[in-house]
Amino acid sequence: MTEPTPILGTKLHPPRRRRALVARPRLAGPAAGAHPAKLTLVSAPAGFGKTTLVADWFGDGASTAWVALDARDDDPGRFWTYVAAALATVVPDLEDLVESLRVPQPPVDGVVDHLLNALAEHGSDVVLVLDDLHVVQSPEVHDALALLLEHLPPQVHVVVATRADPPLPLASMRARGDLREVRAADLRFTAAEAAAYLNDAMDLALTAADVEVLEARTEGWIAALQLAALSLQGRADPAAFVAEFAGDDRFILDYLADEVLERQPPEVRDFLLDTSVLGSFTAELCAAVTGQPDARATLDRLDRANLFLVPLDDRRTWYRYHHLFADVLRARLRADHPDRVAGLHRRASEWHAAHGDGHEAVEHAMAGGDPAWAAELIERLAPELQRARREATLRRWLEALPAELFADRPVLAMDLVGARMATGDASDVDALLEVVDRWLGAGPDADPRPVVHDRAAYDRLPAMAAIHRAGRSLLAGDLDATIAHAESVAHLAVFDELHRGAAAALLGLATWARGDLATAHDRYVESIECFVRGGYHPDVLGCTLALTDILLTLGRLGEADRAFERALRLATEGATLRGAADIHVGLAQVAVERGDLDAAAAHLDASDHLGPGLGLPQHAYRSRVAAASLARARGDLDAAIELLEDAERRYDTDYSPPVRPVAAMVAAARVEAGGIAAGRRWAAEAGVSPGDELTYVREFELLTLARLLVAESEDGDREAAATAIDLLDRLLVAADGGGRSGTAIEVLVLLARAHRAAGDDARAKAFRTQAEDRARPEGYRRVLLDGLDARARHDERGPDPSRRPTGPDELSDRELDVLRLLRSDLSGPDIARELHVSLNTLRTHTKHIYTKLGATNRREAVRRAAELGI
């Protein structure tokens, strides 16, 4: 079982307040004035006191959630994990979300929605501080942060301290008054503040003229003034220093750094330079890197001297240097002692490797320009990263190595193949597999020998090569080659349950794509059994999703339900596994099919409670599709369409065949809501026509086209009815021939509607009876109810006393405006924008219209209005 990813508590606390601060009333914080803007942006170059100012504003606030960012946070999963952890210190309801994110490479889709909901329910004031946001360059993080700001509850305020403006919609926020900005010009010390700092806080007793010179030359740059003050301490003639200091501004920082460093004893100066390669450090690590056994005493001395040393924990075990000072130290090290840099990084790497921190060991090996040592570390660390599903980190490291390094390292080459194939990227995979083949052909005792540090991984290379070649063929659409490579695994000398299970899953994918669902079902059952025996439980959950997709198409609803229940027990019998959220989504979909909407809602709530960190790659779109099914079953087609449109943006089938594209689901929902024109546009864009060859992969799209034709026939188009019946007859033959009873039930329901629209009630009743006979044993209900036309659906549900037909006089003017636009092809959000009302207001008007017209959905309301002459 993978251990939860640790969260460094020191990153969630503001820095300790300095002993002496300069009062700056002109920079009164938002808490001291009117209600703050959504975003306060404190943006200035390094050393302008951004963090100090924000800490002065909010550091002591009980409602402050603080995140001290560093370069490792330039990853969506890690970034949002720490944001959630910080907010959980203020909003306790977020603790479960934090736990769900404490997995390697957590899927972050939906985290922002979760945070917004929790903050809105919390109700009390919250300040979220993001310190040093400039270290985060990820577009995914910036886009999600923009979404957070757009929907921020009114009592929540975000403060960003950064060296560069982030790519957020600052201009529009500025125009709306949602942005407060604090820039370098605001942060610079004035002459009075500089005097207060130098003479009062630092006790230097400088003359007004000296203060004026220093303030002018530093332009109020706080870090430079701090360095100057350190250099001035203990000088007999401070005026002489100030006079000499009055030089070219471009050299001020170098000059001050020289003064600070040169005034230190040689052993302290060397200690500072040598330890500057460390992002954070302990006394033991410093001793290993510098060779100075008294590192603990040196650190205590630096701490007492306030020499830019920042403690990272209350016990003063871990430290770092002030970022600006560290930059100066590293620049000086490179300039004065470039020959020492590689050795310092090598010793740091070896120390981290010996203490079990492989990540830092690799990073120092890379920074020290030692690719061979880095390659050895990566090869030894790769199995752990692969089991933890941290392929993104593995790929970043491997692709930073020189390409020629892979030529004699077959295990490393295979690691890069796996890291790329994990995301479906087959770039240079064939060439890398050729490297592996060449060394496998030569054998481990070849002369020269391959460079191998993990012999067990070397022995597994043939099996891994076959599996990745199968995956490569699947991505290329070569199903024959996929099957051949996957089947070859069983004939190899060395393979285990992981390889056997992966091969079976690939066979399942290939036969699924061909429409041979019976074989695909058997292969996935075999794959799950292998993964259970091998203890690869997250893979069991992933394969269960594929297996149940197949079972639902086969019409075996009960078996799918039981498979989900078994997977849920496995996912929750100990520590909750990643994938548990997806299993709840699957159970919700089954409950909707059976008409148990309360159970469906409960499972979706359970999935949401677990959070996106416990979801698999397809969770983002699957969860929205399930929620849309529930909304549709409850008669809220507008909400269903919104959810499906959101799901379409997140649609990713991973390696599964795209047999139920979300774009077709959106089209079907729009058609049901009366959007015939939208359905026609989708059909044109998808290139779907009634005479197309029937293939399993396009079956769902053709079924959606049939829904469009049936809707047109129900509007009086007899030609559409005939076309629909012909297409549906063909689809029924294909579905029955492939054993796809789930699809056949949908086709039979549509055939009943099509014949009814064509005026043949007898055949309509016959097809309806066939659908019921097939659906009833498995407990299907939704497909029977939602597949009917509006009048039949009303009859099936029974009369609703709250819905009674009305006349035009009972609709308000605004409701008439909404009704006119309901006849158009506009979506709910588009109608809201057209009428300049909120989406919730539009929904209220729409529900009133439905009630007054005795309708259950948009299309039915439009038809009923036409019958009443409205």
Side-chain angles (χ1 to χ4, degrees):
M1 188 75 63
T2 303
E3 291 294 324
T5 302
I7 292 177
L8 185 61
T10 53
K11 287 168 61 69
L12 306 182
H13 299 287
R16 292 184 304 153
R17 295 170 66 88
R18 298 183 183 278
R19 291 186 293 273
L21 290 174
V22 175
R24 309 182 78 184
R26 65 186 178 86
L27 293 177
H35 190 76
K38 276 188 177 182
L39 172 64
T40 293
L41 178 67
V42 184
S43 180
F48 272 81
K50 301 180 290 295
T51 299
T52 300
L53 178 70
V54 175
D56 189 37
W57 283 350
F58 298 110
D60 294 332
S63 61
T64 298
W66 188 286
V67 185
L69 299 166
D70 57 52
R72 295 172 297 176
D73 299 320
D74 191 18
D75 168 85
R78 184 179 170 92
F79 177 92
W80 289 110
T81 297
Y82 272 96
V83 170
L87 288 169
T89 65
V90 181
V91 184
D93 288 344
L94 286 170
E95 291 175 357
D96 289 336
L97 173 64
V98 175
E99 287 303 310
S100 76
L101 291 170
R102 292 181 62 194
V103 296
Q105 288 191 308
V108 298
D109 207 295
V111 170
V112 170
D113 293 345
H114 200 121
L115 293 176
L116 287 169
N117 289 335
L119 289 168
E121 292 175 5
H122 181 63
S124 300
D125 289 348
V126 175
V127 177
L128 171 62
V129 177
L130 302 176
D131 191 23
D132 283 344
L133 185 62
H134 57 270
V135 301
V136 176
Q137 302 294 320
S138 167
E140 292 89 348
V141 170
H142 293 145
D143 290 345
L145 188 55
L147 179 65
L148 180 79
L149 289 168
E150 180 182 356
H151 298 286
L152 206 64
Q155 84 282 4
V156 183
H157 175 55
V158 176
V159 181
V160 167
T162 177
R163 294 184 185 179
D165 284 5
L168 299 173
L170 301 180
S172 59
M173 295 186 72
R174 189 179 295 119
R176 294 194 303 266
D178 287 337
L179 175 67
R180 182 192 181 185
E181 297 172 84
V182 180
R183 300 285 181 178
D186 306 306
L187 291 168
R188 289 188 179 101
F189 270 1
T190 64
E193 288 167 346
Y197 173 73
L198 293 167
N199 287 334
D200 297 336
M202 301 300 293
D203 197 25
L204 292 175
L206 299 179
T207 66
D210 290 339
V211 171
E212 183 178 354
V213 169
L214 286 176
E215 193 277 330
R217 290 306 176 186
T218 60
E219 297 186 36
W221 187 8
I222 299 171
L225 282 169
Q226 186 179 12
L227 287 168
L230 288 170
S231 295
L232 281 163
Q233 287 180 335
R235 287 186 178 271
D237 187 2
F241 168 83
V242 172
E244 294 171 1
F245 178 74
D248 192 327
D249 287 350
R250 292 176 302 170
F251 304 111
I252 289 176
L253 184 57
D254 287 342
Y255 184 84
L256 290 174
D258 288 346
E259 282 294 315
V260 172
L261 288 173
E262 292 304 326
R263 293 175 64 83
Q264 304 303 320
E267 66 277 8
V268 173
R269 185 167 60 248
D270 286 343
F271 183 93
L272 290 169
L273 294 177
D274 289 351
T275 55
S276 68
V277 303
L278 305 172
S280 58
F281 44 83
T282 64
E284 184 182 358
L285 174 55
C286 289
V289 170
T290 65
Q292 297 185 21
D294 58 345
R296 174 76 264 172
T298 303
L299 287 174
D300 290 341
R301 176 179 178 179
L302 296 177
D303 195 16
R304 287 194 301 272
N306 198 27
L307 201 60
F308 300 102
L309 193 64
V310 180
L312 297 177
D313 55 48
D314 294 336
R315 294 176 306 220
R316 297 180 117 68
T317 301
W318 283 91
Y319 293 88
R320 68 166 175 84
Y321 290 121
H322 182 283
H323 297 310
L324 181 62
F325 190 55
D327 291 341
V328 174
L329 293 174
R330 284 191 288 270
R332 181 68 174 271
L333 175 66
R334 288 191 299 270
D336 292 358
H337 307 286
D339 56 313
R340 281 164 44 180
V341 174
L344 293 169
H345 279 295
R346 177 63 185 238
R347 291 193 289 276
S349 177
E350 290 174 345
W351 187 89
H352 281 293
H355 287 77
D357 191 346
H359 188 283
E360 283 297 319
V362 173
E363 295 290 352
H364 278 290
M366 294 284 200
D370 194 343
W373 171 237
E376 178 179 343
L377 290 168
I378 294 169
E379 184 172 320
R380 295 185 187 281
L381 194 60
E384 174 188 332
L385 294 174
Q386 290 159 349
R387 181 175 280 273
R389 306 304 302 270
R390 293 175 59 189
E391 288 93 350
T393 297
L394 183 59
R395 179 173 179 172
R396 175 172 62 83
W397 285 342
L398 291 169
E399 292 183 344
L401 296 173
E404 60 270 17
L405 205 65
F406 294 90
D408 60 352
R409 289 171 167 80
V411 174
L412 206 67
M414 186 62 79
D415 289 336
L416 182 52
V417 169
R420 286 178 174 166
M421 290 294 288
T423 58
D425 181 2
S427 302
D428 296 324
V429 162
D430 291 337
L432 290 164
L433 288 174
E434 287 176 6
V435 171
V436 175
D437 288 344
R438 186 170 63 252
W439 285 109
L440 286 176
D445 299 322
D447 187 18
R449 289 189 175 189
V451 179
V452 175
H453 300 288
D454 185 342
R455 182 54 193 258
Y458 179 85
D459 292 339
R460 293 192 297 266
L461 286 178
M464 292 307 303
I467 288 168
H468 288 312
R469 282 198 165 94
R472 174 75 178 85
S473 299
L474 185 66
L475 292 174
D478 189 343
L479 300 183
D480 288 335
T482 301
I483 292 170
H485 288 304
E487 288 180 339
S488 72
V489 172
H491 305 293
L492 297 173
V494 179
F495 64 94
D496 57 21
E497 296 294 354
L498 173 62
H499 303 126
R500 184 184 286 112
L506 284 161
L507 289 170
L509 286 166
T511 51
W512 185 9
R514 280 184 167 171
D516 182 0
L517 270 65
T519 301
H521 167 272
D522 293 344
R523 295 291 76 75
Y524 267 110
V525 169
E526 177 186 349
S527 176
I528 289 171
E529 290 172 350
C530 292
F531 289 139
V532 168
R533 287 195 299 267
Y536 297 95
H537 292 169
D539 294 292
V540 172
L541 304 188
C543 287
T544 297
L545 296 181
L547 175 64
T548 49
D549 280 349
I550 292 168
L551 288 170
L552 292 173
T553 304
L554 292 172
R556 291 151 68 171
L557 189 63
E559 192 175 337
D561 189 21
R562 291 189 293 274
F564 278 131
E565 291 290 355
R566 285 194 300 271
L568 186 62
R569 287 194 295 272
L570 181 67
T572 57
E573 63 184 4
T576 304
L577 297 177
R578 183 181 175 189
D582 303 85
I583 302 303
H584 277 294
V585 168
L587 285 165
Q589 197 72 280
V590 170
V592 170
E593 292 291 344
R594 288 179 163 168
D596 190 348
L597 305 189
D598 290 340
H603 280 297
L604 287 175
D605 286 344
S607 175
D608 185 60
H609 179 72
L610 289 173
L614 290 174
L616 295 169
Q618 297 182 33
H619 178 76
Y621 94 86
R622 281 179 175 269
S623 60
R624 286 162 176 80
V625 168
S629 296
L630 178 59
R632 183 182 175 211
R634 287 173 166 171
D636 192 348
L637 273 175
D638 286 338
I641 290 170
E642 281 183 62
L643 286 162
L644 288 172
E645 288 174 338
D646 194 14
E648 185 180 6
R649 290 188 288 270
R650 306 164 193 270
Y651 182 53
D652 176 12
T653 64
D654 201 13
Y655 277 81
S656 300
V659 292
R660 293 182 69 86
V662 178
M665 298 182 194
V666 174
R670 284 190 172 280
V671 167
E672 186 176 346
I676 299 294
R680 290 171 180 158
R681 280 199 304 276
W682 163 80
E685 292 169 0
V688 184
S689 61
D692 286 350
E693 178 186 0
L694 296 184
T695 63
Y696 169 63
V697 172
R698 300 211 75 184
E699 184 173 75
F700 185 75
E701 290 181 312
L702 288 168
L703 191 59
T704 302
L705 177 62
R707 292 182 184 279
L708 169 62
L709 292 167
V710 169
E712 289 176 328
S713 69
E714 289 172 344
D715 283 346
D717 188 338
R718 290 301 180 95
E719 183 178 348
T723 304
I725 289 170
D726 179 67
L727 174 57
L728 288 166
D729 283 341
R730 294 168 58 218
L731 284 169
L732 182 60
V733 171
D736 281 339
R740 298 187 291 276
S741 294
T743 302
I745 294 170
E746 293 185 72
V747 173
L748 288 167
V749 169
L750 287 172
L751 276 167
R753 287 177 55 187
H755 282 288
R756 182 172 182 172
D760 191 342
D761 288 345
R763 287 184 67 81
K765 183 177 181 181
F767 281 115
R768 167 73 177 176
T769 300
Q770 287 187 53
E772 290 175 346
D773 290 344
R774 295 198 188 194
R776 192 169 288 114
E778 289 290 336
Y780 282 98
R781 177 170 170 77
R782 183 203 60 80
V783 66
L784 297 176
L785 184 59
D786 291 348
L788 300 175
D789 67 9
R791 292 185 184 88
R793 189 182 303 116
H794 183 270
D795 294 342
E796 178 79 12
R797 285 180 172 142
D800 183 346
S802 70
R803 298 187 183 276
R804 53 184 179 81
T806 187
D809 293 341
E810 291 194 36
L811 293 177
S812 69
D813 290 341
R814 183 48 112 185
E815 288 166 356
L816 287 171
D817 290 339
V818 172
L819 180 60
R820 293 186 189 100
L821 291 175
L822 289 177
R823 297 178 58 193
S824 71
D825 195 31
L826 295 176
S827 67
D830 291 338
I831 293 175
R833 283 189 287 271
E834 184 76 16
L835 296 175
H836 303 289
V837 299
S838 71
L839 193 57
N840 285 334
T841 299
L842 174 68
R843 286 175 174 165
T844 299
H845 288 313
T846 303
K847 288 177 181 177
H848 289 167
I849 292 170
Y850 290 174
T851 298
K852 292 178 180 180
L853 295 180
T856 59
N857 60 49
R858 177 175 175 172
R859 189 158 169 260
E860 188 179 354
V862 171
R863 182 188 292 115
R864 182 62 183 146
E867 292 171 353
L868 293 171
I870 302 176

